[in-house]
Amino acid sequence: MGSPLTDPQPFPEFRMTLAMIFPGQGSQSVGMGRELADSFPESRRVFEEVDEALGERLSATIWDGPEDALTLTSNAQPALMAVSIAALRALEARGFDLGARADFVAGHSLGEYSALAAAGAISLADTARLLRIRGDAMQAAVPPGEGAMAAILGLDDAALAEVCAEASQGGVCQIANDNGGGQIVVSGTMASVERGMALALERGAKRAIALSVSAPFHSMLMQPAAERMREALAEVSIAPPRVPLVSNVLASAISDPAEIRERLVEQVTGQVRWRESMTYLADGGVDLLMEVGSGKVLAGLAKRIDKRLAAVSVGTPADVDATLARLA
């Protein structure tokens, strides 16, 4: 009988634990996704299908602008999703299988819809239509000039929650996004958010920056939009995703279609708990985040949230090849 000291022993295959993450509004740029469409027929078909679902050539706005048209909430949301799915289709054209290779998906705000489309829970056409409805409803929920959002840097969530409670004074000021890396976004009525910015600086925040946004997203002022999304989501088929979704509002994984539907409604008025979501993934053993779509915002945040997380971004044909080489 051989000795374990002398017999050759096979080494277990190392498998990097992967989560795919999908960007939200603010990552858009004119021309995004054009290289993918030019290089991969599978990616081009994504843009064609989104155009057909919306009954317009959104792809022309994505690739040629003008920028002010692309940044409109009703355009930016389906546009960013289209680029994310186009990037995924390019990966798949090179042999990548999300269901076999990824362990989780997650998306920042509208990116949660991209994540669900990527994981096969919602069809591409339905996702495009839902995001157009979502963008229109969020824009219409609050008259222009009545709402505001601000980024607060250098104050923790507990201290900022106290600031928001004190600043509301009959209005609304609440945490909208905990993005990590010391950046938390507050949202609400104009006067309350302005009070919150001043109070945050008094309490030790490094900076308080008013954001150029068209509505106070992820606040209770978005309740009309949440009700509109409840109606829209009720008409759409949702299947179990191929891998679990880390929910924005829970910062934990879900797979049940009924719960996904409810959390998407809740997300319109609720907080995007991105920092906690990334910590959840790191605690769950995730080694690598793959940001799929336009920009590198989420990859940059990940490095500041948890040193255990490495991150890559996939938004161009060169990114596709480099990322697949890393996973090989």
Side-chain angles (χ1 to χ4, degrees):
M1 179 182 244
S3 162
L5 295 176
T6 58
D7 284 356
Q9 298 294 311
F11 287 99
E13 182 180 353
F14 173 74
R15 181 185 182 278
M16 193 172 287
T17 304
L18 175 69
M20 302 181 73
I21 57 176
F22 297 83
Q25 203 160 335
S27 290
Q28 69 274 359
S29 63
V30 172
M32 62 182 182
R34 188 195 295 269
E35 286 184 74
L36 292 167
D38 289 344
S39 300
F40 295 93
E42 299 85 353
S43 299
R44 180 167 289 277
R45 282 197 289 273
V46 170
F47 293 105
E48 293 170 349
E49 188 171 343
V50 169
D51 285 350
E52 183 177 352
L54 298 178
E56 66 180 76
R57 286 204 65 222
L58 181 62
S59 58
T61 302
I62 296 171
W63 294 333
D64 301 319
E67 186 175 357
D68 58 353
L70 179 59
T71 55
L72 289 173
T73 300
S74 60
N75 287 335
Q77 296 198 18
L80 283 161
M81 182 277 298
V83 176
S84 287
I85 302 305
L88 174 64
R89 295 289 180 263
L91 288 164
E92 291 172 339
R94 291 282 195 262
F96 180 82
D97 183 342
L98 182 150
R101 190 61 189 82
D103 298 274
F104 299 95
V105 294
H108 192 285
S109 191
L110 81 90
E112 195 156 75
Y113 287 79
S114 306
L116 288 165
I122 307 177
S123 74
L124 176 59
D126 280 342
T127 306
R129 287 188 286 263
L130 284 170
L131 285 172
R132 171 55 58 82
I133 292 167
R134 184 177 183 267
D136 286 341
M138 293 173 85
Q139 186 63 62
V142 178
E146 292 189 11
M149 299 182 76
I152 310 299
L153 308 182
L155 204 63
D156 66 37
D157 56 342
L160 191 53
E162 293 179 4
V163 164
C164 288
E166 190 173 335
S168 293
Q169 295 184 19
V172 174
C173 183
Q174 65 186 87
I175 294 176
N177 305 341
D178 183 354
N179 288 328
Q183 181 195 107
I184 302 177
V185 176
V186 298
S187 181
T189 48
M190 179 74 74
S192 296
V193 169
E194 288 175 347
R195 278 194 296 270
M197 293 170 67
L199 281 171
L201 291 170
E202 290 176 13
R203 305 287 169 83
K206 294 177 182 176
R207 296 182 70 190
I209 306 163
L211 300 181
S212 179
V213 294
S214 56
F217 304 129
H218 298 291
S219 75
M220 64 181 66
L221 299 173
M222 290 287 106
Q223 189 58 40
E227 294 308 318
R228 179 68 186 95
M229 290 312 298
R230 185 181 299 280
E231 296 168 0
L233 285 159
E235 299 174 359
V236 168
S237 175
I238 300 179
R242 287 185 286 168
V243 299
L245 169 78
V246 178
S247 161
N248 280 187
V249 296
L250 297 177
S252 60
I254 57 175
S255 294
D256 177 67
E259 183 168 18
I260 288 170
R261 198 183 308 270
E262 190 60 34
R263 299 310 175 192
L264 287 175
V265 174
E266 186 179 344
Q267 184 224 61
V268 178
T269 58
Q271 181 186 148
V272 177
R273 297 168 60 187
W274 194 252
R275 175 183 57 82
E276 294 171 87
S277 295
M278 295 303 98
T279 301
Y280 173 86
L281 290 173
D283 288 346
V286 168
D287 304 296
L288 181 66
L289 300 175
M290 184 193 297
E291 181 176 11
V292 186
S294 178
K296 301 182 179 181
V297 171
L298 300 182
L301 285 174
K303 295 169 186 175
R304 298 199 294 271
I305 291 170
D306 198 306
K307 299 298 184 185
R308 293 173 291 176
L309 294 170
V312 295
S313 298
V314 182
T316 67
D319 294 337
V320 170
D321 293 335
T323 298
L324 291 179
R326 179 167 182 168
L327 292 175

